[in-house]
Amino acid sequence: MDTTDIFAAEIQQLNDRVDHADIRTNEDVRRFISDITKLIYDYKMIGRIYDFYLEDVEYHKQNKVIFTNVEDVVRNVAEFSAAFPNLKTHIENIIVYKVHDDFYKVSKRLHYWGNNYGVSKYGPPTGKSLGNNCLSMSLLHLKRIGGQWKITFEINNDSELWLERVQTSAPASL
C-alpha cells in the first residue's frame, strides 16, 4: 500500500465512523469530535462542516467576532486551511459533560502545526512555521437534532496574535 492508499483508507474509516456515530458515552463524544477535527483540518474536508454544524450555529471567536451561520464558519476554516496547506492538528484533551442523552458540552484543547505556504488575509506566504505555539481552545455544544449530531454553539479561542505573526513579516517570536 502506498501513502495515498493509506490516507484514502483512513479518510474512509473516519467518514464511516462519523456518518454512523452511535453516541451514548463521553468516550463516544471524544472520538466523534476527534474524528471530525481530523477530517476538516488534517484532510481538508471543509465541506463536511455543513454536516457537523447547525445551519444557524452561533460561533464566537476572539476579538468579539461572532458568526451566526455555517457559511461563515466554512469560509473561516477555508481561509485558514489555504494559508496553511500542510496544516495538521494534535488534540491534547477533550473534556465532555453530558447534559442529557441528546446534549453534550465539550471542551477541546489542540495545537495546530503547519507552515504559511499559502496566501492569507495578511498577504503573501511567509513560509514561517506555527511551531508549537498555535494553541486552540474551544467550548462547544453537541446536540442530536433530527437524528443527527450537530454543533449548535462554539466559542473558539485560537492563538490569533501568533497566527498574525506567522502570516506577516513581523518577527517570529513574541
Side-chain angles (χ1 to χ4, degrees):
M1 241 185 184
D2 68 4
T3 305
T4 304
D5 293 332
I6 293 168
F7 286 153
E10 183 173 5
I11 290 169
Q12 185 61 49
Q13 181 183 32
L14 291 168
N15 275 318
D16 288 346
R17 278 202 311 246
V18 298
D19 289 343
H20 302 100
D22 182 23
I23 296 177
R24 296 171 191 241
T25 68
N26 289 1
E27 189 55 42
D28 295 337
V29 172
R30 282 185 197 92
R31 168 158 278 179
F32 183 78
I33 295 298
S34 178
D35 288 350
I36 66 174
T37 300
K38 192 168 189 74
L39 281 170
I40 292 168
Y41 291 98
D42 293 18
Y43 290 114
K44 315 300 181 261
M45 297 189 71
I46 298 165
R48 293 299 317 254
I49 293 171
Y50 293 105
D51 299 327
F52 307 131
Y53 283 77
L54 193 64
E55 188 173 324
D56 58 351
V57 64
E58 184 179 338
Y59 188 99
H60 297 254
K61 290 187 63 68
Q62 62 278 16
N63 300 329
K64 299 182 183 179
V65 174
I66 301 173
F67 302 143
T68 56
N69 62 69
V70 71
E71 292 292 332
D72 289 338
V73 176
V74 169
R75 188 176 310 105
N76 182 63
V77 173
E79 289 171 358
F80 183 48
S81 294
F84 296 91
N86 64 341
L87 185 70
K88 297 292 181 209
T89 59
H90 172 72
I91 296 176
E92 292 182 352
N93 199 6
I94 299 175
I95 300 168
V96 179
Y97 173 74
K98 183 176 185 175
V99 178
H100 58 73
D101 288 344
D102 294 330
F103 178 22
Y104 292 86
K105 292 183 179 181
V106 181
S107 176
K108 175 177 67 172
R109 177 185 165 108
L110 66 82
H111 276 95
Y112 294 114
W113 301 83
N115 297 80
N116 179 221
Y117 293 141
V119 175
S120 73
K121 65 183 179 183
Y122 300 106
T126 65
K128 293 179 186 175
S129 172
L130 292 172
N132 191 31
N133 297 308
C134 193
L135 176 66
S136 174
M137 296 189 297
S138 63
L139 171 66
L140 60 92
H141 294 174
L142 181 67
K143 295 182 180 181
R144 185 175 8 221
I145 300 173
Q148 293 186 316
W149 290 98
K150 298 278 189 176
I151 295 170
T152 61
F153 173 87
E154 184 168 353
I155 299 173
N156 185 302
N157 196 3
D158 295 329
S159 302
E160 192 67 34
L161 180 59
W162 183 251
L163 285 169
E164 182 178 349
R165 293 240 176 155
V166 169
Q167 296 174 80
T168 64
S169 59
S173 62
L174 292 174

